[in-house]
Amino acid sequence: MLRGQFVLHETPIGVNLVDATMTSELNALFARVEASDSLAVIVFDSADPDFYLAHYDLSDSDEVKHVLAHPEEVHPWTALLARLSSLPVATISSIRGRARGAGSEFLLATDIRFASRERAIVGQFEIGMAAIPGGGPSSRLPGLVGRGRTFEILFGGLDYDGALAEMYGYVNRALPDGDLDGFVDAFASRVASFDLQTIRDIKHFVNLATQRPEAEYKDQMDAFRAAVNRPAQQYIARHLFEAGLQQRSDVERDLPHWVTRFPYRPASGGE
Amino acid sequence: MLRGQFVLHETPIGVNLVDATMTSELNALFARVEASDSLAVIVFDSADPDFYLAHYDLSDSDEVKHVLAHPEEVHPWTALLARLSSLPVATISSIRGRARGAGSEFLLATDIRFASRERAIVGQFEIGMAAIPGGGPSSRLPGLVGRGRTFEILFGGLDYDGALAEMYGYVNRALPDGDLDGFVDAFASRVASFDLQTIRDIKHFVNLATQRPEAEYKDQMDAFRAAVNRPAQQYIARHLFEAGLQQRSDVERDLPHWVTRFPYRPASGGE
Amino acid sequence: MLRGQFVLHETPIGVNLVDATMTSELNALFARVEASDSLAVIVFDSADPDFYLAHYDLSDSDEVKHVLAHPEEVHPWTALLARLSSLPVATISSIRGRARGAGSEFLLATDIRFASRERAIVGQFEIGMAAIPGGGPSSRLPGLVGRGRTFEILFGGLDYDGALAEMYGYVNRALPDGDLDGFVDAFASRVASFDLQTIRDIKHFVNLATQRPEAEYKDQMDAFRAAVNRPAQQYIARHLFEAGLQQRSDVERDLPHWVTRFPYRPASGGE
């Protein structure tokens, strides 16, 4: 068994973003997992109890520039999530704090999700920034929560707490916050004591019965890339950054509210 | 945002049937929606708090005669539901009162279902009239409630109240009756404030990941047409009409009970 | 309507195993069902309130020897479950007691599952014996409980009580133990009063919309056959038999615990 924690890389006021450093470290971890002949289980939890994984780093980084300039390449986030889904081990998200946008996409690509009933928050806020989620929840949510709740989650861009996420099937189960770590440890240790080949067989066959065509993921990411090139997304993003996006601020604490604060009006030229 | 209410067309003793007038008005509405470049959300609720949409008009109307005489044509109800599912906006059913048969099929073809916990009733009673449902719940329910609960709903022909419908995933969520309208208004207004292209993208990709082949819907409607040509359906329908079907009667209030009252016995010649 | 009870065949200390006698009797029953032009519903319950169906008979029987020696043949259990899923009647599992392994696979292949809230226990313990389940839950569970909970059930090999099984959708509904029989009788009698052709139509169309490709079931059973030829499975099975497997023992009462008691260590030669 292996326990991975999401940790802050750059600034003490950060909010656990999915950025180039993190994806690079995750890919290194996955390479280790794929090469191992003894690893059975990975648990992903967060060192920051308020932010499991806030969302994708939306700042104008070199990585974002490169990705937008090379639409012909498979987006590294699409590739990472596909790789995560296919790792030959059991992957478990132990969720405390906010997991929105790419944070939610990450946990949807793991096998199993256990959540703190009081402190987990999951959601896909992207529509509030005039962008479809790029990391595949349009394909992964229906197999967990059904078509109707998928539409609600993606159209509404709202937060889902542990109890509601459990009722919908967004997470496997919501546990009292004080019980979460013990429950996840016991479950993961149990799985880690079992036969490796059996874990690989189960992973293979359940994936076969549940995975969606790769083209769906590519097309959704392309639609996301198109969205971030439109004025609406850029207008909202600029205002959110000014208000405190990607800082430990009220914007990040209540993102579903803040995305409604800067409505883009193309008729008036936006600004 | 646009709010559509189902209203009675013909008689003050009616029960909000799906009839030729309603389908014609719905198609006119859909044409408006498809042509709009500003509409984002439609909410469907009912002016009659007891009957959201009772069921299909089973009287011997010109429309029914025409449809039965032309099996080679796509049934207008099949076509309407397919069109509803593909509208380039978010569609929300706000359910208070009974939605059985075609009423249930209608809300299953919308994107999102919010229900009154105390006053919503959903179900597919058709088996009680010796007919498979024709409007596709055999294909749409599994993606919401799973295979087992689909069989239960279709084989049993029973009513599901708000709480049970929520637990099964038949509706997204059941809300206290007094909260339903405010909740739906807030949700719909929120979605309507978001970017139109993003709504269309989400609609497109979730449909792609969840829609069933068209042939399934056609074949189910053909099986329904065959059923209404059999003596069993005609025998039960005739007796239900005599007892008060399609009137504001106990028959419509408790249809799952009344469909068991006139068992068809082919050995004894039916009647 | 027809009520089938699982009963003990051989020994008073048994635990309702899926063995050659039972599968032979089930196939005889299915032949009767397929030939009938009046049967509408089958209810499967157990004469043993503690063991609905414990699991597959793992003793070194002639049947097991034959099956392992003829991998080119469709496994009789795979064939039986496919046949069960396609019977032209409504099939209902009324679950009281333990249904693990093949017992769970059996009820997953029926149309509808009603469970005792206090006394039903369902689960797939096979991973604890170093084997993937062979009877298709990797394909059937996702359509009931979704991808994430499928992984949890198969990786964890734990027991699920009635309430949790209901929340997950593993069973349709959990009822207070004292209400279960009456509820199932009323439901089954209701369905049995309905039109036979309609039941067949519903069965046909819901199966069409939900069944998985046959190859998935064959491949999973092949993986199971490979597993029982490996030392790990044989080591754990031998120790479990010595401790009381397939007897009315604590091993059978708490199998998820007992499968962790004899960890196989290939490095040390197993034993």
Side-chain angles (χ1 to χ4, degrees):
Chain A
M1 189 173 101
L2 187 147
R3 177 173 289 272
Q5 279 201 331
F6 302 114
V7 291
L8 301 176
H9 298 292
E10 291 169 18
T11 74
I13 56 162
V15 287
N16 246 2
L17 296 169
V18 178
D19 58 16
T21 309
M22 172 169 285
T23 54
S24 161
E25 291 181 358
L26 282 170
N27 273 310
L29 172 69
F30 295 171
R32 229 178 103 197
V33 173
E34 288 158 352
S36 168
D37 57 3
S38 63
L39 189 70
V41 180
I42 315 178
V43 176
F44 295 101
D45 62 8
S46 169
D48 182 335
D50 293 319
F51 293 94
Y52 181 78
L53 269 183
H55 52 75
Y56 211 84
D57 180 2
L58 297 165
S59 62
D60 198 16
S61 66
D62 290 347
E63 190 216 9
V64 169
K65 277 180 201 156
H66 174 88
V67 163
L68 292 175
H70 294 82
E72 76 288 356
E73 295 178 8
V74 176
H75 192 288
W77 185 236
T78 303
L80 183 145
L81 294 177
R83 191 176 185 183
L84 170 57
S85 289
S86 299
L87 290 178
V89 298
T91 57
I92 301 172
S93 298
S94 179
I95 310 160
R96 179 178 284 120
R98 291 158 186 80
R100 300 192 188 109
S104 166
E105 292 167 358
F106 182 89
L107 59 86
L108 290 172
T110 62
D111 300 336
I112 295 170
R113 287 151 293 286
F114 295 123
S116 161
R117 185 169 290 275
E118 297 87 2
R119 301 193 64 175
I121 290 173
V122 295
Q124 300 280 162
F125 73 103
E126 287 92 330
I127 192 170
M129 294 189 69
I132 185 173
S138 300
S139 291
R140 290 198 182 89
L141 276 171
L144 296 173
V145 307
R147 182 179 189 265
R149 287 166 174 170
T150 297
F151 272 128
E152 178 196 324
I153 293 164
L154 299 183
F155 280 147
L158 290 163
D159 280 345
Y160 290 78
D161 64 19
L164 191 53
E166 173 188 76
M167 202 258 278
Y168 276 26
Y170 200 153
V171 301
N172 286 49
R173 226 183 289 188
L175 295 136
D177 191 69
D179 297 345
L180 178 64
D181 297 341
F183 178 89
V184 172
D185 279 345
F187 185 88
S189 301
R190 178 178 173 86
V191 179
S193 78
F194 292 147
D195 177 59
L196 266 178
Q197 183 58 48
T198 303
I199 290 172
R200 289 171 185 199
D201 285 349
I202 291 170
K203 186 77 174 249
H204 169 74
F205 285 114
V206 175
N207 270 344
L208 209 64
T210 60
Q211 277 183 333
R212 305 287 316 165
E214 272 181 44
E216 289 186 5
Y217 297 105
K218 182 186 178 309
D219 292 349
Q220 289 169 43
M221 184 54 89
D222 287 347
F224 171 80
R225 291 201 241 214
V228 298
N229 279 322
R230 288 198 298 262
Q233 198 276 344
Q234 294 170 358
Y235 174 88
I236 300 169
R238 187 164 63 253
H239 280 84
L240 284 174
F241 268 109
E242 289 167 10
L245 191 71
Q246 307 202 170
Q247 298 171 47
R248 210 163 184 93
S249 66
D250 191 58
V251 172
E252 287 290 347
R253 274 184 288 272
D254 192 8
L255 199 44
H257 165 68
W258 280 87
V259 293
T260 66
R261 290 286 299 275
F262 309 105
Y264 176 70
R265 299 276 173 262
S268 65
E271 56 179 320
Chain B
M1 189 173 103
L2 187 148
R3 176 172 288 274
Q5 278 201 332
F6 302 114
V7 292
L8 302 176
H9 297 293
E10 291 168 17
T11 73
I13 57 162
V15 287
N16 247 2
L17 297 169
V18 179
D19 58 16
T21 308
M22 172 169 283
T23 54
S24 160
E25 291 182 357
L26 282 171
N27 274 310
L29 171 69
F30 294 171
R32 232 178 100 198
V33 172
E34 288 158 352
S36 168
D37 58 3
S38 63
L39 191 70
V41 179
I42 315 178
V43 176
F44 296 101
D45 62 8
S46 169
D48 182 337
D50 294 319
F51 293 94
Y52 181 79
L53 269 183
H55 52 74
Y56 211 84
D57 180 2
L58 297 166
S59 62
D60 197 16
S61 66
D62 290 346
E63 190 216 8
V64 170
K65 278 179 199 156
H66 175 88
V67 163
L68 293 175
H70 294 82
E72 76 288 357
E73 296 179 8
V74 175
H75 193 288
W77 185 238
T78 303
L80 184 145
L81 295 178
R83 192 177 184 182
L84 170 56
S85 289
S86 299
L87 290 178
V89 298
T91 57
I92 301 171
S93 298
S94 179
I95 310 161
R96 178 179 286 119
R98 292 158 185 80
R100 300 192 188 108
S104 166
E105 291 167 359
F106 182 89
L107 59 86
L108 290 172
T110 62
D111 301 335
I112 295 169
R113 287 151 292 285
F114 295 123
S116 162
R117 185 169 290 274
E118 297 87 1
R119 301 193 64 176
I121 291 172
V122 295
Q124 300 281 162
F125 73 102
E126 287 93 331
I127 192 170
M129 294 189 69
I132 184 175
S138 300
S139 290
R140 289 199 184 89
L141 276 171
L144 296 174
V145 307
R147 183 178 189 265
R149 288 167 173 167
T150 297
F151 272 128
E152 176 195 326
I153 293 164
L154 299 182
F155 280 147
L158 290 163
D159 281 344
Y160 291 78
D161 66 19
L164 191 54
E166 174 187 74
M167 200 258 278
Y168 276 26
Y170 200 152
V171 301
N172 285 50
R173 226 184 287 190
L175 295 137
D177 191 71
D179 297 346
L180 177 66
D181 297 341
F183 178 88
V184 172
D185 279 345
F187 185 87
S189 300
R190 178 179 173 86
V191 178
S193 78
F194 291 147
D195 177 58
L196 267 177
Q197 183 58 48
T198 303
I199 291 172
R200 290 172 185 198
D201 285 349
I202 291 170
K203 187 75 175 251
H204 169 73
F205 285 114
V206 176
N207 270 345
L208 210 65
T210 60
Q211 278 183 332
R212 303 287 316 166
E214 272 182 42
E216 288 186 6
Y217 296 105
K218 182 186 179 308
D219 292 349
Q220 289 170 42
M221 184 54 89
D222 287 347
F224 171 80
R225 290 200 243 214
V228 298
N229 279 322
R230 289 198 298 261
Q233 197 277 342
Q234 294 170 359
Y235 174 88
I236 300 169
R238 186 165 63 252
H239 280 85
L240 285 174
F241 268 109
E242 289 168 11
L245 191 71
Q246 306 200 170
Q247 298 171 48
R248 209 162 185 93
S249 66
D250 191 57
V251 172
E252 286 290 348
R253 273 184 290 272
D254 192 7
L255 199 44
H257 166 67
W258 279 86
V259 294
T260 65
R261 290 286 298 276
F262 310 106
Y264 176 70
R265 299 275 174 262
S268 64
E271 55 182 325
Chain C
M1 188 172 104
L2 188 147
R3 177 173 288 273
Q5 278 201 332
F6 301 114
V7 292
L8 301 176
H9 297 293
E10 289 169 19
T11 73
I13 55 160
V15 287
N16 246 3
L17 296 170
V18 178
D19 59 16
T21 309
M22 172 168 286
T23 54
S24 160
E25 290 181 358
L26 282 170
N27 274 310
L29 172 70
F30 294 172
R32 230 177 103 200
V33 172
E34 288 158 351
S36 167
D37 57 3
S38 63
L39 189 70
V41 179
I42 315 177
V43 175
F44 296 101
D45 61 8
S46 169
D48 183 336
D50 293 320
F51 292 94
Y52 181 79
L53 271 182
H55 52 74
Y56 211 85
D57 180 2
L58 297 165
S59 61
D60 198 17
S61 66
D62 290 345
E63 189 214 10
V64 169
K65 278 181 201 155
H66 175 89
V67 163
L68 292 175
H70 294 81
E72 76 289 357
E73 296 180 9
V74 175
H75 193 288
W77 185 237
T78 303
L80 183 144
L81 294 178
R83 191 176 185 183
L84 170 57
S85 289
S86 300
L87 290 178
V89 298
T91 57
I92 301 171
S93 298
S94 179
I95 311 159
R96 179 179 284 118
R98 292 159 186 79
R100 299 192 189 110
S104 167
E105 293 167 357
F106 182 89
L107 58 87
L108 290 172
T110 62
D111 301 334
I112 295 169
R113 287 151 292 285
F114 295 123
S116 162
R117 185 168 290 275
E118 297 86 2
R119 302 193 62 176
I121 290 172
V122 295
Q124 300 281 163
F125 73 102
E126 286 92 331
I127 192 170
M129 295 189 67
I132 185 175
S138 300
S139 291
R140 290 199 182 89
L141 275 171
L144 297 174
V145 308
R147 181 178 190 267
R149 287 165 174 170
T150 298
F151 272 128
E152 177 195 325
I153 293 164
L154 299 183
F155 280 147
L158 290 163
D159 281 344
Y160 290 79
D161 65 18
L164 192 53
E166 174 187 76
M167 202 257 278
Y168 275 26
Y170 200 152
V171 301
N172 285 50
R173 227 184 287 190
L175 295 137
D177 191 70
D179 297 346
L180 177 66
D181 298 340
F183 177 89
V184 172
D185 278 344
F187 185 88
S189 301
R190 177 179 173 86
V191 179
S193 77
F194 291 148
D195 177 60
L196 266 177
Q197 183 57 48
T198 303
I199 290 171
R200 291 172 183 196
D201 285 348
I202 291 170
K203 186 76 174 250
H204 169 73
F205 285 113
V206 176
N207 270 344
L208 209 64
T210 59
Q211 279 183 332
R212 304 287 317 165
E214 273 181 41
E216 288 186 5
Y217 297 105
K218 183 186 177 309
D219 293 348
Q220 289 169 43
M221 185 53 90
D222 287 348
F224 171 80
R225 292 200 243 214
V228 298
N229 279 322
R230 289 199 297 263
Q233 197 276 344
Q234 294 170 359
Y235 174 88
I236 300 169
R238 187 164 63 254
H239 281 85
L240 285 174
F241 268 109
E242 288 168 11
L245 191 72
Q246 306 201 170
Q247 299 172 47
R248 209 163 186 94
S249 67
D250 191 58
V251 173
E252 287 289 349
R253 273 184 289 271
D254 191 9
L255 199 45
H257 165 68
W258 280 86
V259 292
T260 65
R261 290 286 299 274
F262 310 105
Y264 175 69
R265 300 275 173 259
S268 65
E271 54 180 327

